[in-house]
Amino acid sequence: MKYVLDSHTHTTASGHAYSTLHEMVRAAKEKGLELIGITEHSMAMPGTCHEYYFMNMRILPRTMYGIEVMHGAEVNIMDYQGNLDMEEYLLKTMDVVIASLHHPCLKSGSREENTAAMIGAMKNPYVNIIGHPDDSRYPLDYLALVQAAKEYGILIELNNNSLHPLGARENPVPNDIEILNHCRNYHVPVILGSDAHTEEDVGNHKFLDILLDAVEFPEELIVNRSVAEYKKYINRGRL
């Protein structure tokens, strides 16, 4: 299957990434993509950019090197009610918003608390994607998560970095398999994200491809196949 977009990438602005905006977009062009989402970590992540960075994204072109560029953020879920570390005035300027659980920002709670945090974030009208929900350090009720994604029109992310042998997330494979099985059963689409922190990883979904093939996940539920399909779910096309 040909993927035409990468929805989740970081530049040097995120503080622990290694390529510039221009390098990331050029890499997307070289790899034959049509669209890239630049989704920097938001303010509660140690070392990332100030809120002024997100305020100033309006000066960036929407197309660079012939590639469509989505201006976005990977925001942090800050409590078990699903509150985020980005205020509405900034959220509503983002093309795409990924909401994720990160250990520097929220300590893992019970399965019920972690699930409530994720579903609470889904209820925010500016959140489009739930990022890497496969980390066993945050136990989740995956059936409830998928059902909520269907109810609120949210994409669940399958994250290539989660499956990297050197990745920090714990035991993601059985969690991803459970997510995919529920998504198939409830006809809930998924988005693949490279979570690239360097230009070499833009569009890299190689670990996910192995998993998707193993479970025979239907291609029509993978949003990366179509820019038009992707835009049905993000703020730029939805609000």
Side-chain angles (χ1 to χ4, degrees), residues 25-194:
V25 179
R26 279 198 299 263
K29 172 70 171 180
E30 291 167 1
K31 295 180 181 187
L33 299 183
E34 299 173 12
L35 178 148
I36 185 171
I38 303 296
T39 50
E40 309 294 5
H41 287 288
S42 55
M43 289 75 74
M45 179 65 72
T48 196
C49 37
H50 191 273
E51 63 181 306
Y52 292 170
Y53 174 90
F54 296 101
M55 291 171 61
N56 204 41
M57 289 181 82
R58 65 185 181 274
I59 72 170
L60 296 172
R62 299 284 185 169
T63 302
M64 300 170 63
Y65 308 104
I67 298 294
E68 192 167 3
V69 181
M70 296 290 103
H71 304 166
E74 183 180 12
V75 299
N76 298 289
I77 301 172
M78 300 301 293
D79 56 34
Y80 303 127
Q81 290 73 50
N83 291 305
L84 308 175
D85 65 337
M86 183 175 282
E87 296 183 34
E88 183 179 6
Y89 84 95
L90 279 181
L91 286 169
K92 67 184 181 182
T93 68
M94 298 293 103
D95 295 334
V96 57
V97 176
I98 303 169
S100 303
L101 291 168
H102 291 115
H103 269 273
C105 304
L106 181 63
K107 181 181 177 181
S108 180
S110 67
R111 183 171 182 258
E112 292 73 21
E113 287 172 327
N114 296 334
T115 304
M118 285 284 199
I119 293 175
M122 287 185 186
K123 295 177 182 179
N124 188 302
Y126 300 104
V127 169
N128 314 123
I129 298 169
I130 289 294
H132 50 73
D134 54 6
D135 189 345
S136 290
R137 295 177 298 177
Y138 288 100
L140 294 168
D141 181 340
Y142 288 115
L143 176 57
L145 191 74
V146 169
Q147 289 174 331
K150 187 175 184 70
E151 179 179 356
Y152 297 110
I154 302 294
L155 293 172
I156 293 182
E157 180 191 71
L158 275 294
N159 188 291
N160 196 69
N161 267 353
S162 292
L163 302 179
H164 194 290
L166 299 178
R169 295 173 197 133
E170 292 182 0
N171 200 30
V173 172
N175 300 329
D176 283 331
I177 290 173
E178 184 176 353
I179 290 168
L180 289 169
N181 286 334
H182 289 317
C183 286
R184 178 194 289 112
N185 292 339
Y186 285 87
H187 204 73
V188 172
V190 300
I191 184 83
L192 310 185
S194 72

